[in-house]
């Protein structure tokens, strides 16, 4: 038995790969459940509600409920609620983000908002970007759910939220506060929800530049699993190494 | 009489200011016409056809015809035609850009194009940006009509084409070739159309960072007129000064 009492776990590349299941990951989560070890799935996906993410996991044979999921939209809503006196927000984003903000009681408006937040929006328009730029220039605080530049799909790498966010950043010359991995806000919020001290929690993910850096940024131990984005070759070039590295999660005993 | 036999002249801020006329500019152009001195209006506006730009000038009392106008879309079409063996192009942009490219015989397609070009498109969609990213990742050459980050309007500063271009740049990590001011391509193309050697041509504009730098970049003499963007205060901070500076064009005798 290892020393970790809780786990924060990435999804795509770690629990499944695109539309493909990862059997070792399915068995890993089953072990956590059997042993009653707390864990939370932590995702930069802002577009889905936690219910939708849980349903997606079930499709791959992973037991999951709403309470097991922590999205960057939930982290954003919680962070804005705790740390600011904001009431009105202009939102660019899909259902996961608008739902999370509404659940925290924010008033969503495009008229003189106190803050602007952007998450991936496959229905983005020039008018939405224009309103965001005008609000940010007018002094609204500026948040982005994540800085991911590319979104892996069956068609190839499509523009991610970080790329769309750059329209506002480049036009207004103002940098947003990023919520998602590798930034610390999502991790700090996730640790609160998990309820285990970070010294006793392990962050697991396949992507060095988001998952592992996120763990490093909040001074947690990290485990990189080579079932997704970061290759062994790419990992060699990184100055700060993960605490552990495995080929797949069958190599990690809980 | 001064030594210049031809003029390249900016539009917004130099010939008019938003919806406001500049009487000294109207009289300046009338003098050029009376004396038969060649000139060409050079604009980073990619959305309008030269006929539309000429009509806009007439609204401010400035005589202008299609042949007097040189847009970044025309520069792009000419440059792509002269310098590359391209036949198929994926275009994001408005009428000025699509018209200029069609007039040069390019085939506009979203299927496996040899190049991608982006100009301001107030009907931008995620799908258009996705197609551009996929094509650029697939090896298509990447051009942008201009890098302007903000578009002055009566509502305030809206996102310019440089800001929208950044979605593709940030997502694919590939920089475009920019056509418009302050880049050299539009200036070199404009000088060819004007037909006067650059040593005998003066570049006139109100914006140091686009108009004046464009002139400096192709080693032309420049005249900054303080009727638009660049203030006297801002100009002081610039290392390379324009050849001439005037408060308005009544101070310049042709």
């Amino acid at each position: 038995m290892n020393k970790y009492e809780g786990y924060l776990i990435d999804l795509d590349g770690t629990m499944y790969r695109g539309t493909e299941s990862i059997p070792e990951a399915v068995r890993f989560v089953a072990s956590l459940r059997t042993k009653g070890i707390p864990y939370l799935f932590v995702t930069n996906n802002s577009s889905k509600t936690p219910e939708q993410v849980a349903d997606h996991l079930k499709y791959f044979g992973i037991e999951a409920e709403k309470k097991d999921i922590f999205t960057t939209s939930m982290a954003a809503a919680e962070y804005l609620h705790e740390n600011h006196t904001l009431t009105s927000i202009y939102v660019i984003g899909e259902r996961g983000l608008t739902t999370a903000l509404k659940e925290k009681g924010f008033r969503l408006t495009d008229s003189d908002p106190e803050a602007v937040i952007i998450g991936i929006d496959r229905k983005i328009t020039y008018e939405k970007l224009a309103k965001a730029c005008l609000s940010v220039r007018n002094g609204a605080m500026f948040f982005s759910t994540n800085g991911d530049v590319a979104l892996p799909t069956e068609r190839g790498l499509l523009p991610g939220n970080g790329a769309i966010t750059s329209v506002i950043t480049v036009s207004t010359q103002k940098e947003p506060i990023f919520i998602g991995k590798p930034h610390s806000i999502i991790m700090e919020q996730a640790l609160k929800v998990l309820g285990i001290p970070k010294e006793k929690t392990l962050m697991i993910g396949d992507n060095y530049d988001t998952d592992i850096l996120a763990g490093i940024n909040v001074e947690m131990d990290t485990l990189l699993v080579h079932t997704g984005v970061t290759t062994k070759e790419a990992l060699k070039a990184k100055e700060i190494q993960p605490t552990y590295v495995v080929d797949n999660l069958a190599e990690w005993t809980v």
Side-chain angles (χ1 to χ4, degrees), chain A residues 3 26-27 55 59 64 98 110 113 122 129 143 148 153 159-160 163 223 225 233 249 251-253:
Chain A
K3 66 176 179 178
V26 177
R27 285 193 287 272
D55 285 346
Y59 167 83
T98 52
D110 62 359
R122 266 76 54 107
L129 293 165
F143 301 92
D148 300 356
T153 74
L223 185 157
V225 56
E233 200 58 34
L249 289 174
E251 296 175 29
W252 187 260
T253 308

Side-chain angles (χ1 to χ4, degrees), chain A residues 208-240:
Chain A
Y208 183 91
D209 295 322
T210 55
D211 306 318
I212 302 306
L213 270 189
I216 291 168
N217 285 339
V218 293
E219 300 177 329
M220 283 176 64
D221 284 356
T222 55
L223 185 157
L224 180 92
V225 56
H226 280 307
T227 48
V229 167
T230 302
T231 62
K232 292 183 181 183
E233 200 58 34
L235 184 59
K236 275 188 200 156
K238 304 296 182 183
E239 198 185 339
I240 306 176

Side-chain angles (χ1 to χ4, degrees), chain A residues 69-110:
Chain A
I69 311 297
F70 197 67
T71 70
T72 188
S73 292
M74 297 160 72
E78 188 60 41
Y79 175 78
L80 290 175
H81 185 69
E82 280 177 4
N83 291 271
H84 301 281
T85 56
L86 301 170
T87 59
S88 64
I89 301 183
Y90 179 58
V91 185
I92 296 177
E94 300 184 8
R95 193 174 144 205
L97 184 54
T98 52
T99 302
L101 291 167
K102 281 182 197 161
E103 283 180 1
K104 288 284 168 196
F106 289 108
R107 185 168 60 87
L108 308 189
T109 178
D110 62 359

Side-chain angles (χ1 to χ4, degrees), chain A residues 178-189 214 217-218:
Chain A
F178 284 106
I179 306 295
K181 299 174 284 183
H183 299 273
S184 301
I185 294 173
I186 193 171
M187 300 299 285
E188 287 159 359
Q189 296 292 345
N217 285 339
V218 293

Side-chain angles (χ1 to χ4, degrees), chain A residues 1-8 28 198-208 211-213 215-216 220-227 230-232 235 240-249 251-254:
Chain A
M1 211 182 84
N2 66 53
K3 66 176 179 178
Y4 299 102
E5 296 176 11
Y7 290 86
L8 298 180
F28 173 75
K198 69 179 178 184
E199 295 73 19
K200 297 181 178 171
T201 304
L202 186 65
M203 172 68 197
I204 301 182
D206 69 298
N207 186 329
Y208 183 91
D211 306 318
I212 302 306
L213 270 189
I216 291 168
M220 283 176 64
D221 284 356
T222 55
L223 185 157
L224 180 92
V225 56
H226 280 307
T227 48
T230 302
T231 62
K232 292 183 181 183
L235 184 59
I240 306 176
Q241 290 288 308
T243 318
Y244 313 99
V245 181
V246 294
D247 285 334
N248 65 62
L249 289 174
E251 296 175 29
W252 187 260
T253 308
V254 296

Side-chain angles (χ1 to χ4, degrees), chain A residues 98-158:
Chain A
T98 52
T99 302
L101 291 167
K102 281 182 197 161
E103 283 180 1
K104 288 284 168 196
F106 289 108
R107 185 168 60 87
L108 308 189
T109 178
D110 62 359
S111 169
D112 203 19
E114 293 158 322
V116 168
I117 186 163
I118 179 167
I120 189 80
D121 182 350
R122 266 76 54 107
K123 295 214 168 88
I124 192 72
T125 62
Y126 185 80
E127 183 58 20
K128 289 182 187 179
L129 293 165
K131 282 177 177 165
C133 285
L134 290 171
S135 296
V136 169
R137 284 184 186 274
N138 202 31
M141 297 189 71
F142 177 26
F143 301 92
S144 177
T145 56
N146 62 288
D148 300 356
V149 299
L151 201 63
T153 74
E154 58 282 7
R155 293 170 69 193
L157 293 172
L158 303 191

Side-chain angles (χ1 to χ4, degrees), chain A residues 160-179:
Chain A
N161 185 56
I164 310 289
T165 299
S166 72
V167 174
I168 308 169
T169 311
V170 166
S171 190
T172 64
Q173 312 279 300
K174 292 196 183 151
E175 288 284 339
I177 294 174
F178 284 106
I179 306 295

